[in-house]
Amino acid sequence: MRIANLDGRLVLLSGERALDVERASTGRFAPDAQAVYERWDEFTEWAAGQAGDGDPFDPARLGAPVPRPGQVFAIGMNYRSHADEVSYEHDGFAPPVFTKFPSCITGPYADVEHPGGSVDWEVELVAVIGRPAYRVAAANGWAHVAGVTIGQDISERDLQHEGDRPQFSLGKSYRGFGPMGPWLTTIDELDNPDDLELACAVNGEEVQHSTTANLILDVPGLIARLSAVTPLLAGDVIFTGTPAGVGLARTPPRFLSPGDEVVSTIAGLGEMRNRLVNGTSDS
Ligand code: ZN
């Protein structure tokens, strides 16, 4: 099953068609894409009985499939290749956890305001919580995931690192710094959810390419790690980390400018296209 957020309304996707959930369910389910995760089991049961209806749609109208997550977890240094390129030594410790503040979430084709500074790309698999998880064992981790989608953990490196006083969460939370989409794909649609090829291209040039099989802590491992401390709630999201190839680690470093286009792909999950644009005022 694939679901999406089309013009702010929850839709069920079938091929190139989108079925409006609120109308098709005669009001049983709300039009708000965020609300569906609270009733995930009930919704998936209903959705399984819907036969490939719907209308053609313009992908440019898609918003984030999880538009207002209560909690956004993000994981640093979760691919060995990326830890190595930025000379990060794990020393036996688990990858660091930070947040992207939820107001940075935006759609899969949204323009992203460039705030100045050293803006960088990070393609990531995003896992979305469908069943609350607290003190869950890794072996049961996937059972708490509604589905997965593509994310960009856009980062402004000057603020993120600010000398030797890191501000990870702020540097990764400028408005629009969390594109997600283009839709949510459930795990049963994937041959192997633990081995998804992911890539990022800037202006047509591939800059990142790896597979989620290279994650140090995989999705079930992350759910165990996070839920050992804090309850994970329906509709929360986890940005699982980025592989090698970020601009910061290049020689010389390379950062994004207004006009640059970032294309993020994960095999089986689709593609996002986000263009950096000149920042507007404080609107
Ligand atoms: Zn990241």
Side-chain angles (χ1 to χ4, degrees), residues 74-76 82 98 122-124 153 155 157 172 239-242:
I75 313 299
H82 176 54
F98 56 94
E122 294 192 356
V123 65
E124 309 201 359
D153 177 16
S155 307
R157 302 300 191 191
K172 290 163 171 277
F239 280 69
T240 58
T242 202

Side-chain angles (χ1 to χ4, degrees), residues 114-120 155-159 174 177 254-258:
H114 194 298
S118 305
V119 176
D120 205 346
S155 307
E156 198 285 291
R157 302 300 191 191
D158 301 343
L159 177 57
Y174 281 95
F177 269 29
R254 173 180 169 187
F255 298 111
L256 296 168
S257 303

Side-chain angles (χ1 to χ4, degrees), residues 107-202:
Y109 307 110
D111 287 343
V112 176
E113 291 171 21
H114 194 298
S118 305
V119 176
D120 205 346
W121 55 84
E122 294 192 356
V123 65
E124 309 201 359
L125 177 73
V126 172
V128 182
I129 300 298
R131 291 190 194 130
Y134 188 50
R135 297 179 177 168
V136 167
N140 299 325
W142 276 121
H144 294 265
V145 174
V148 288
T149 188
I150 309 170
Q152 258 293 338
D153 177 16
I154 300 178
S155 307
E156 198 285 291
R157 302 300 191 191
D158 301 343
L159 177 57
Q160 180 189 343
H161 293 117
E162 206 158 65
D164 60 353
R165 304 283 198 281
Q167 293 283 1
F168 265 60
S169 298
L170 270 185
K172 290 163 171 277
S173 293
Y174 281 95
R175 181 163 64 173
F177 269 29
M180 267 200 288
W183 40 70
L184 179 111
T185 302
T186 53
I187 306 310
D188 57 293
E189 298 275 342
L190 304 167
D191 290 337
N192 181 356
D194 292 303
D195 183 6
L196 302 174
E197 200 175 340
L198 74 172
C200 176
V202 176

